[in-house]
Amino acid sequence: MSDTTPARNAQTASPCVMVIFGAGGDLTKRKLLPSLYNLSVSGLLPERFGVVAVDRLEINSEAFRDRMSEDIRTHVGGDFKQDIWDDLVRRLFYVQGDFKDSASYEHLGGLLEQIDGEMGTPGSYLFYLATPPRFFGEITRQLGAAGLAKETDSVWRRVIIEKPFGNDLDSAKALNRELHDSLEETQIYRIDHYLGKETVQNILVFRFANGITEPIWNHLHIDHVQITVAESVGVEHRASYYEEAGALRDMIPNHLLVLLSVIAMEPPNSFQANAVRIEGNKVLKAITPLSPEDVLTHAVRGQYAAGAMPDGEQVQAYRSSPGVASDSHTETFAAAKLMIDNWRWAGVPFYLRTGKRLAAHYTEIAIQYRRAPFIMFRNTPVEHVRPNTMVLRIQPSEGIELSFGAKLPGPSMNLGNVEMDFCYADYFGNPPTTGYETLIYDCMNGDATLFKHAETVEAGWEFVQPILDVWHALPPRDFPNYAAGSWGPKPAGELLRRDGRQWRRITPSRRDRAT
Ligand code: BG6
């Protein structure tokens, strides 16, 4: 991979036109336009800038602008600045088109030339494919055929797509091949919204900008790592997608492995995109592949039955959700144990779990340190000192906590477990964000650090493919096997108990308790 990434800075993004395919969907109204608005409020949107929305709806630019303005205030948060929105809307154009029809791309090309003339944009275009993935190949092919994907020394053309990137290893490879038919890898910006979360960058800073972390970030000091992405929501209105996907495909090859790679990667040589991405890929490729026999002992699946959520809400079973088959075999919970075959992590298990309708909406990475090598407090309650845990909290409130033992005041030797708890919001507040601002800004600037390389996508699927195969061959016999509002099926506990460990009991942080 060549490295041409500009340094990250807070200057206005590079002048361009952003073209949104599938702009009639929710994403444009709820995330993309609010993100552009927020970027404009922060002074990061270029003066020479335009937006073209493409969709099938037969409306004109004026009507589309009205639609987008309808409830924009509720989507942007903070104090609404009408003048900023008016200025953005003035730059918004609508093209009615069919993604499969080459005439639509000719029409689009004409409009882009016209905008370049009027707005002074240089011919650089960011194509955002807010469409179902089945259109990714077709749209990029058409863009290529229409000459809209061609870059020159002074003009860039980039395409953003969002997961799912295939539904198994073969389809992910096929999608990459299709994209590469019309685009260079450097033109493709694959979003995994976990990479867009501030946390991911915060973890890199925490690990690599602080002298105290790296010396103890290895197998000599760390016993194991637990990554939990727990959701309290059910399948909501996405049953048709979720029935096909399931928890494993939906979350593990992408979001959980993003978290794993930032936790486990070696220090990159710099914060340049390729330096970070190369290290991320290396660690994913070092995951020990699972044999079919391993899958039986290293992976656990579950599906929720009816149950009561912690707030008392009674919820129905997954199989009773609208759009879900009454004998569905789709898993709503997945857990796995993996090992990383390299010097740093030899012998350190990483346990991953994720699921819907769990007892809390909570995402964290818990680094469990080894016990002190020698316990000098024999014959006192302190003999049972708990090992230290460092928790990198990702949501709902981001922070870092470190638990350690402390002596309880008094004449006898009694121990209490205490926590140092740092909440980002206490220091830096909570600026309104949709989660897409940084990604769009970075793409405009050609900074691919927070986007996935083709190899990263394939490395994620490489790890889960054996699990998909075994689960497909052996349909579950015990579904549903956990109650909504619990922490998942029993075998998930056994996954760790077998190793003499247990899942961390998730307790809300001070900040979460307060909210
Ligand atoms: C999406 C999955 O990619 O991530 C959803 O398709 C899941 O099923 C969501 O709910 C979780 O994202 P977050 O940011 O709410 O943790």
Side-chain angles (χ1 to χ4, degrees), residues 164-444:
F165 307 123
N167 53 20
D168 59 11
L169 182 57
D170 285 347
S171 56
K173 284 184 173 168
L175 173 62
N176 282 336
R177 274 196 303 272
E178 241 184 325
L179 296 171
H180 290 151
D181 280 347
S182 318
L183 301 166
E184 296 297 326
E185 177 61 25
T186 50
Q187 294 178 275
I188 308 170
Y189 287 68
R190 297 178 190 79
I191 288 189
D192 178 315
H193 78 281
Y194 267 57
L195 268 171
K197 289 185 194 280
E198 275 287 307
T199 320
V200 171
Q201 296 167 69
N202 284 335
I203 293 174
L204 292 176
V205 170
F206 179 64
R207 284 191 59 195
F208 302 128
N210 293 297
I212 59 165
T213 47
E214 273 311 285
I216 54 167
W217 209 265
N218 57 46
H219 68 103
L220 296 176
H221 301 278
I222 293 176
D223 177 73
H224 73 278
V225 176
Q226 297 184 12
I227 302 180
T228 300
V229 180
E231 297 190 87
S232 50
V233 292
V235 67
E236 296 176 299
H237 55 277
R238 299 163 67 227
S240 66
Y241 156 75
Y242 201 82
E243 273 283 87
E244 294 297 315
L248 178 67
R249 283 191 172 91
D250 189 39
M251 300 295 287
I252 292 191
N254 31 64
H255 305 331
L256 275 88
L257 291 189
V258 159
L259 299 178
L260 177 105
S261 71
V262 285
I263 282 298
M265 71 167 63
E266 292 302 311
N269 291 344
S270 72
F271 195 41
Q272 299 278 300
N274 282 341
V276 176
R277 298 203 303 179
I278 284 170
E279 293 306 335
N281 286 349
K282 260 184 9 203
V283 78
L284 293 183
K285 287 180 179 169
I287 297 175
T288 315
L290 297 179
S291 68
E293 292 73 31
D294 292 336
V295 171
L296 301 176
T297 50
H298 286 55
V300 170
R301 57 187 151 169
Q303 187 194 74
Y304 64 85
M309 299 304 289
D311 63 2
E313 187 198 355
Q314 292 289 333
V315 301
Q316 59 184 1
Y318 174 70
R319 286 180 176 176
S320 309
S321 311
V324 172
S326 58
D327 59 350
S328 170
H329 282 167
T330 301
E331 80 284 353
T332 58
F333 177 97
K337 168 184 169 180
L338 62 84
M339 305 296 291
I340 297 175
D341 271 340
N342 67 16
W343 191 281
R344 182 188 291 264
W345 296 115
V348 179
F350 286 74
Y351 300 99
L352 319 180
R353 63 174 163 171
T354 182
K356 303 261 184 214
R357 285 293 187 214
L358 295 179
H361 171 220
Y362 203 85
T363 298
E364 67 161 43
I365 302 167
I367 317 282
Q368 170 97 52
Y369 282 92
R370 290 186 184 281
R371 288 176 186 283
F374 172 69
I375 306 292
M376 60 183 216
F377 307 102
R378 284 197 191 102
N379 305 322
T380 72
V382 181
E383 205 173 353
H384 306 290
V385 177
R386 277 208 243 152
N388 304 107
T389 308
M390 165 106 65
V391 179
L392 306 176
R393 244 182 8 250
I394 292 159
Q395 54 194 23
S397 78
E398 197 182 342
I400 299 175
E401 62 195 57
L402 177 65
S403 71
F404 55 93
K407 182 184 169 299
L408 296 181
S412 59
M413 183 53 91
N414 276 318
L415 178 100
N417 219 49
V418 297
E419 278 164 11
M420 288 198 296
D421 190 350
F422 156 69
C423 294
Y424 275 91
D426 291 347
Y427 283 75
F428 308 115
N430 265 331
T433 164
T434 63
Y436 282 78
E437 289 84 354
T438 308
L439 294 170
I440 294 173
Y441 174 77
D442 281 2
C443 179
M444 288 176 180

Side-chain angles (χ1 to χ4, degrees), residues 31-266:
K31 303 285 186 186
L32 302 183
L33 290 176
S35 305
L36 294 175
Y37 164 91
N38 285 338
L39 283 172
S40 182
V41 170
S42 311
L44 296 175
L45 214 53
E47 180 48 42
R48 290 180 294 145
F49 179 68
V51 185
V52 177
V54 186
D55 214 315
R56 302 170 69 107
L57 285 164
E58 294 208 12
I59 53 174
N60 61 20
S61 292
E62 216 37 61
F64 189 76
R65 289 173 182 154
D66 289 346
R67 275 184 181 222
M68 294 299 114
S69 302
E70 263 164 26
D71 34 27
I72 185 67
R73 283 165 193 270
T74 57
H75 299 314
V76 295
D79 286 339
F80 186 68
K81 296 188 171 55
Q82 187 68 48
D83 55 329
I84 300 253
W85 177 248
D86 290 345
D87 180 57
L88 185 59
V89 156
R90 181 177 68 77
R91 300 158 185 271
L92 175 60
F93 303 86
Y94 182 81
V95 173
Q96 194 268 328
D98 178 342
F99 305 150
K100 293 188 174 163
D101 180 3
S102 58
S104 303
Y105 296 81
E106 274 169 36
H107 183 186
L108 173 65
L111 177 65
L112 286 169
E113 263 179 37
Q114 185 194 323
I115 295 175
D116 287 339
E118 284 169 17
M119 303 267 178
T121 40
S124 295
Y125 307 138
L126 189 176
F127 299 104
Y128 198 115
L129 274 45
T131 65
R134 64 178 186 280
F135 292 114
F136 292 170
E138 176 70 20
I139 295 176
T140 51
R141 194 183 61 74
Q142 294 274 8
L143 288 172
L148 290 170
K150 192 167 167 27
E151 299 194 302
T152 66
D153 286 348
S154 55
V155 158
W156 54 259
R157 306 276 162 88
R158 299 177 188 138
V159 173
I160 294 186
I161 54 176
E162 199 162 345
K163 94 171 230 300
F165 307 123
N167 53 20
D168 59 11
L169 182 57
D170 285 347
S171 56
K173 284 184 173 168
L175 173 62
N176 282 336
R177 274 196 303 272
E178 241 184 325
L179 296 171
H180 290 151
D181 280 347
S182 318
L183 301 166
E184 296 297 326
E185 177 61 25
T186 50
Q187 294 178 275
I188 308 170
Y189 287 68
R190 297 178 190 79
I191 288 189
D192 178 315
H193 78 281
Y194 267 57
L195 268 171
K197 289 185 194 280
E198 275 287 307
T199 320
V200 171
Q201 296 167 69
N202 284 335
I203 293 174
L204 292 176
V205 170
F206 179 64
R207 284 191 59 195
F208 302 128
N210 293 297
I212 59 165
T213 47
E214 273 311 285
I216 54 167
W217 209 265
N218 57 46
H219 68 103
L220 296 176
H221 301 278
I222 293 176
D223 177 73
H224 73 278
V225 176
Q226 297 184 12
I227 302 180
T228 300
V229 180
E231 297 190 87
S232 50
V233 292
V235 67
E236 296 176 299
H237 55 277
R238 299 163 67 227
S240 66
Y241 156 75
Y242 201 82
E243 273 283 87
E244 294 297 315
L248 178 67
R249 283 191 172 91
D250 189 39
M251 300 295 287
I252 292 191
N254 31 64
H255 305 331
L256 275 88
L257 291 189
V258 159
L259 299 178
L260 177 105
S261 71
V262 285
I263 282 298
M265 71 167 63
E266 292 302 311

Side-chain angles (χ1 to χ4, degrees), residues 468-487:
L468 290 173
D469 292 342
V470 172
W471 285 3
H472 179 71
L474 302 174
R477 283 191 258 161
D478 58 347
F479 277 10
N481 60 354
Y482 71 97
S486 70
W487 276 106

